[in-house]
Amino acid sequence: MPGSKQIHPIVGIIMGSDSDLETMNAAAEILKTFEVPFELTIVSAHRTPKRMVEYALSAKQRGLKIIIAGAGGAAHLPGMIASLTTLPVIGVPIKSSNSLDGWDSILSILQMPNGVPVATVALNAAKNAGILAAEILGISDDKLSGKLSNFKKDMEQSVLDIAGKLKTNP
Ligand code: RP5
C-alpha cells in the first residue's frame, strides 16, 4: 500500500503446539506493549522437524534478532532451535497436558550442554520471556530501554500502592 510502512518482526515467538498458545500469548502481549514487532507460529521439534530446521536456519536472514520458544513435556524445541542458529534463544517451559508436573519441560529446556545455551525462564513464564527479549533489544535501542524503565517504575508503584492500602502496613 502506498505510504504504508512495512514493519518486519524482530522477535520470533514459536511453540510446539497450538495447545501452548494460551500460555505463549503472554509473550506476544507484552511485546505489543513495548511496540516490539514479532511473529508468532507453531513449530514442533518432533512433529515438524523439517519446518523447525528451516525456521531456525532462515531466522537471522529474515531479520529476527531473538527467538522465544515454548514447549511442554519432552521439550526439545528451544534447544534444537538454539543448536541451529546464533540468535539468542529464550526458552519457556510449559506445563502441558503431556507434562508430568512441569519438571520434565523445565529440565529439557534448562539443562543444555555446554556451548548451546537457552535462556530459560520460569514455568509458563512467557511474559518474562517477552520482557527479557525486550531488555536484550533495549541494549541498542534507547527508546525501548526508556519504555522498560517506565514499566519497572509502574510495577514498583503498583506494589507500593497495594502496600499502602494494607492495614497492617508499618
Ligand atoms: C509439546 O507437547 C508441545 O509443546 C505441547 O506443550 C505438548 C502437547 O502438545 P499437544 O498434544 O497438545 O499438541 O510438544
Side-chain angles (χ1 to χ4, degrees):
M1 243 205 306
S4 73
K5 204 172 123 195
Q6 190 84 21
I7 299 176
H8 295 289
I10 54 173
V11 177
I13 303 174
I14 55 173
M15 62 210 81
S17 167
D18 62 339
S19 63
D20 300 323
L21 190 55
E22 200 181 332
T23 302
M24 294 303 290
N25 259 336
E29 288 307 316
I30 195 74
L31 288 174
K32 272 187 214 161
T33 306
F34 295 133
E35 297 176 288
V36 173
F38 64 87
E39 62 178 27
L40 181 149
T41 191
I42 313 288
V43 181
S44 169
H46 303 117
R47 292 180 275 207
T48 64
K50 291 191 282 270
R51 176 172 163 79
M52 176 194 66
V53 172
E54 270 163 33
Y55 188 92
L57 293 182
S58 67
K60 198 170 180 184
Q61 78 191 43
R62 290 189 302 106
L64 296 184
K65 295 191 168 159
I66 299 177
I67 296 172
I68 297 173
H76 295 122
L77 180 65
M80 285 307 298
I81 291 282
S83 76
L84 290 159
T85 179
T86 55
L87 295 177
V89 176
I90 302 173
V92 183
I94 295 177
K95 190 170 184 311
S96 54
S97 58
N98 65 328
S99 181
L100 293 177
D101 53 9
W103 277 112
D104 41 12
S105 173
I106 291 170
L107 296 175
S108 302
I109 297 177
L110 181 69
Q111 291 301 112
M112 288 295 292
N114 280 326
V116 191
V118 171
T120 309
V121 295
L123 188 67
N124 293 332
K127 182 176 180 178
N128 269 1
I131 296 168
L132 182 56
E135 287 177 339
I136 295 168
L137 294 166
I139 293 168
S140 55
D141 181 339
D142 288 344
K143 199 172 161 202
L144 178 55
S145 183
K147 287 179 196 167
L148 284 154
S149 292
N150 289 337
F151 173 77
K152 282 195 185 290
K153 278 183 206 142
D154 290 348
M155 199 163 46
E156 180 182 28
Q157 193 54 54
S158 68
V159 173
L160 293 175
D161 289 347
I162 292 165
K165 285 178 196 156
L166 286 180
K167 286 183 186 143
T168 54
N169 200 35

